[in-house]
Amino acid sequence: MSLSIPGAPNNGLFKPGYQNYDSEDGAVLRNIDACRTIASTVQTSLGPYGRNKIVINHLQKMILTNDAATILRELEVVHPAAKLLVMASQQQEAEMGDATNMVMILAGELLKKAEDLLRMGLKTSEIVQGYERAQRYALQVLEELEVDSVENIRDQNELAKAIKTVIAAKQNGSEDFLANMVAEAVLAVLPKNPYNFNVDNVRVVKIMGGSLEQSRVVKGMVFGREPDGSVKKATKAKVGVFSCPIDISQTETKGTVLMKNAKELLDFTKGEEQQMENAIKELHDSGMRVVVAGAGVGELAMHYLNRYGILVIKILSKFELRRLCSVVGATPLARLGAPMPDEMGNVDIVETLEIGGDRVTVFRQENEQTRTATLVLRGATQNHLEDVERAVDDGVNVVKAITRDARLVPGAGASEMQLVERLTAMADKTSGLAQYAIRKYAEAFEVVPRVLAESAGLDATEVLAKLYTAHHIQPPSSSKQADGAKKADDDDEEEIPCTGVDIENSDGTGTLDAEEEGILDLMVTKNWAIKLATESARTVLSVDQIIVARQAGGPKPPGPNPNWDED
């Protein structure tokens, strides 16, 4: 217990070791500062020219990536307020699988603007209310910015145009090739009702060597090892999956066998061999020609499997084993023995291919619709392959989002610039203190085109000035116009919102028409990013006190000294 001195913090209220940060000591501003630091960490990784980060995690594994979700997953953030932003980013990853970086930098920018408002003298409650109104209006404006949509999800070119922008943000230069590969893989596994599409059905196998252009799509499952026995190929075969070792069962207790002569020794091993042969013969008689082992395969068992012409492959990952079961329609068995007919699966082709010196085994179903498609990725380094895999993963997640909402809005920062203009116009019409918060909310969206321009090495101020000019909303003219002229005006206005940042700077202006260039973002992804960024910023602003308990374990904090008044 604390000493009974007037003004001692939390006098006798909490156990010793508690830390308390109050709004009087600027807790809100300190929280904002922590959030801005974490946001600025991932901010430079936005867009096609985003910088990579090297993160060495607690297991000393080196991760080289510009994917915000991966960076935040590997960084162990302990500040409670910054954790709120990381959680919002993780929620975006779970919900959409893309735009995690936008959540972080938008939330960081909203908090930075809120800090200016707090220094101006606004209360946090006024800022929170202003942000809430601005968010509602921003989502309405976003609905009006639709410029295209994926009409036919089963058309590879239609699908590739939506995937391309997402992959370009991670793998600039290879987006056309990768987008077509992802679209091909997705269409191979797309069910009759696209809404039931499962992202897990598109797998990735990384094989070192070669170049990215040598990657390809395989309809079926690919395992990065060859079969263990001498049989390397099977067609129209029944498959048995065993999660137990295929070997002579060991007794639980150790037994001692006393043998008096050589004949007894020969008979002892013969009995063991006979038992194993009977078990494998049972499998062969049931019609099984492919055995998948989830654990080890004994040498004796391997000998008999080869003799009976049964293909055997070891798959040690229980997740891969489970997926293979769903592809071939088998039930994993926990004991060695002949399975029931309904416990066995069927596969059209099991074959061994050589890809860049590595031998891989492919389980393939020949019919049009397959349950799993695998992208075999080639690349020079493991880090590069992992980064390509993240880009592919984002592309597949976008397809899942398209099944919910196929509308597309202009990318390259064009949508954000239009939101800045529309929200600023709304702030001008709003009375009271809320207008300051709405204006700052609008300014926060400027961060996306600014970061895109900076990372591409352009003069951000100059590019933003051009974007503001292109997106400026003309005040409605007072003179009455004919309907035809009005319509023409409307058409002109429709074309305005597509000017975005040209990172290639091909024409020297630093701007381009995002719709013409095919740089399109999914509306539903942006919608979620704005929602989650605003929500997390408002949550951080609403916090006025952080109370941290002492961590469990470790040495006890020094207690009160009973002899404090003695000399």
Side-chain angles (χ1 to χ4, degrees), residues 43-81:
Q43 183 170 312
T44 50
S45 297
L46 183 77
Y49 285 171
R51 305 289 179 267
N52 285 342
K53 310 275 183 214
I54 290 181
V55 181
I56 296 170
N57 66 8
H58 60 291
L59 300 171
Q60 298 304 299
K61 184 180 182 230
M62 189 184 89
I63 291 121
L64 174 81
T65 181
N66 62 358
D67 180 37
T70 310
I71 295 166
L72 294 170
R73 194 184 311 119
E74 297 301 336
L75 293 175
E76 290 182 21
V77 180
V78 292
H79 193 284

Side-chain angles (χ1 to χ4, degrees), residues 149-439:
S149 69
V150 180
E151 303 291 337
N152 178 12
I153 199 168
R154 294 192 187 278
D155 179 1
Q156 190 171 324
N157 293 334
E158 281 275 302
L159 206 52
K161 83 177 174 194
I163 301 171
K164 198 170 77 171
T165 313
V166 177
I167 291 179
K170 300 268 189 301
Q171 292 294 321
N172 191 27
S174 316
E175 66 269 23
D176 289 328
F177 174 70
L178 281 172
N180 278 312
M181 263 180 66
V182 172
E184 186 188 334
V186 165
L187 291 176
V189 297
L190 200 64
K192 279 193 177 68
N193 180 2
Y195 196 79
N196 297 331
F197 169 64
N198 183 2
V199 291
D200 268 356
N201 291 347
V202 177
R203 313 297 310 150
V204 170
V205 168
K206 305 181 287 268
I207 296 178
M208 289 265 286
S211 67
L212 193 60
E213 281 66 42
Q214 292 169 326
S215 307
R216 56 184 169 139
V217 178
V218 176
K219 289 184 180 180
M221 282 199 87
V222 178
F223 298 101
R225 57 184 304 158
E226 60 178 326
D228 293 81
S230 58
V231 185
K232 304 288 184 193
K233 187 168 182 181
T235 51
K236 299 281 182 210
K238 287 190 174 173
V239 185
V241 181
F242 295 95
S243 56
C244 61
I246 300 175
D247 204 353
I248 296 147
S249 51
Q250 302 289 332
T251 51
E252 283 183 21
T253 55
K254 284 185 180 176
T256 309
V257 180
L258 181 64
M259 291 174 182
K260 295 188 174 64
N261 52 40
K263 186 178 183 304
E264 282 182 11
L265 178 62
L266 278 170
D267 290 346
F268 180 75
T269 55
K270 213 170 260 170
E272 224 172 33
E273 287 171 18
Q274 190 63 44
Q275 190 187 343
M276 194 73 241
E277 183 175 7
N278 289 343
I280 303 298
K281 189 173 185 303
E282 238 180 85
L283 299 182
H284 182 270
D285 292 345
S286 67
M288 192 187 294
R289 294 292 175 271
V290 177
V291 166
V292 179
V297 180
E299 284 181 14
L300 191 60
M302 186 62 78
H303 166 72
Y304 286 114
L305 285 162
N306 286 341
R307 183 191 279 185
Y308 281 100
I310 296 174
L311 183 145
V312 57
I313 182 167
K314 268 192 287 194
I315 297 171
L316 301 178
S317 158
K318 63 179 182 184
F319 302 108
E320 292 289 304
L321 204 65
R322 204 178 294 162
R323 274 189 204 103
L324 181 64
C325 286
S326 75
V327 169
V328 299
T331 308
L333 302 166
R335 53 168 182 77
L336 185 59
M340 306 292 288
D342 60 336
E343 289 176 329
M344 286 191 286
N346 292 292
V347 67
D348 289 344
I349 293 177
V350 181
E351 60 184 346
T352 310
L353 304 175
E354 190 164 326
I355 301 175
D358 288 34
R359 294 180 75 78
V360 296
T361 307
V362 181
F363 280 72
R364 206 166 75 225
Q365 304 288 24
E366 282 291 82
N367 55 352
E368 276 301 301
Q369 196 66 31
T370 172
R371 285 204 181 140
T372 306
T374 305
L375 286 107
V376 180
L377 297 178
R378 308 298 312 281
T381 64
Q382 197 62 37
N383 278 320
H384 177 239
L385 281 172
E386 282 173 10
D387 227 20
V388 175
E389 184 186 6
R390 290 185 197 107
V392 166
D393 189 47
D394 280 7
V396 175
N397 275 302
V398 162
V399 178
K400 181 69 182 166
I402 289 171
T403 60
R404 296 193 208 171
D405 189 343
R407 290 176 294 172
L408 300 165
V409 293
S415 302
E416 284 79 5
M417 283 310 297
Q418 193 58 21
L419 284 168
V420 174
E421 280 295 332
R422 303 271 190 105
L423 284 162
T424 309
M426 178 205 176
D428 293 341
K429 296 174 195 160
T430 309
S431 58
L433 289 171
Q435 63 174 292
Y436 295 105
I438 295 169
R439 189 169 282 108

Side-chain angles (χ1 to χ4, degrees), residues 117 206 486:
L117 293 169
K206 305 181 287 268
K486 261 189 189 167

Side-chain angles (χ1 to χ4, degrees), residues 12-69:
L13 180 60
F14 302 127
K15 280 171 75 175
Y18 265 81
Q19 290 171 291
N20 183 25
Y21 307 101
D22 216 329
S23 55
E24 269 69 53
D25 16 298
V28 178
L29 293 176
R30 282 224 299 277
N31 289 348
I32 290 173
D33 199 45
C35 294
R36 278 174 54 196
T37 309
I38 187 81
S40 65
T41 305
V42 292
Q43 183 170 312
T44 50
S45 297
L46 183 77
Y49 285 171
R51 305 289 179 267
N52 285 342
K53 310 275 183 214
I54 290 181
V55 181
I56 296 170
N57 66 8
H58 60 291
L59 300 171
Q60 298 304 299
K61 184 180 182 230
M62 189 184 89
I63 291 121
L64 174 81
T65 181
N66 62 358
D67 180 37

Side-chain angles (χ1 to χ4, degrees), residues 477-552:
S477 169
S478 55
S479 61
K480 288 182 180 173
Q481 293 173 314
D483 282 352
K486 261 189 189 167
K487 271 199 180 119
D489 250 31
D490 287 348
D491 289 345
D492 286 350
E493 272 197 14
E494 284 303 307
E495 289 167 20
I496 292 171
C498 294
T499 312
V501 181
D502 180 7
I503 53 168
E504 306 288 346
N505 200 12
S506 44
D507 58 357
T509 61
T511 60
L512 52 67
D513 189 309
E515 190 182 357
E516 266 178 34
E517 297 292 328
I519 304 171
L520 302 167
D521 289 338
L522 210 58
M523 185 192 290
V524 68
T525 310
K526 270 209 186 343
N527 192 315
W528 271 96
I530 292 169
K531 264 193 255 182
L532 286 165
T534 313
E535 203 57 55
S536 53
R538 277 169 42 204
T539 309
V540 171
L541 288 171
S542 306
V543 174
D544 77 328
Q545 198 171 13
I546 297 177
I547 303 162
V548 185
R550 184 172 64 86
Q551 282 192 324

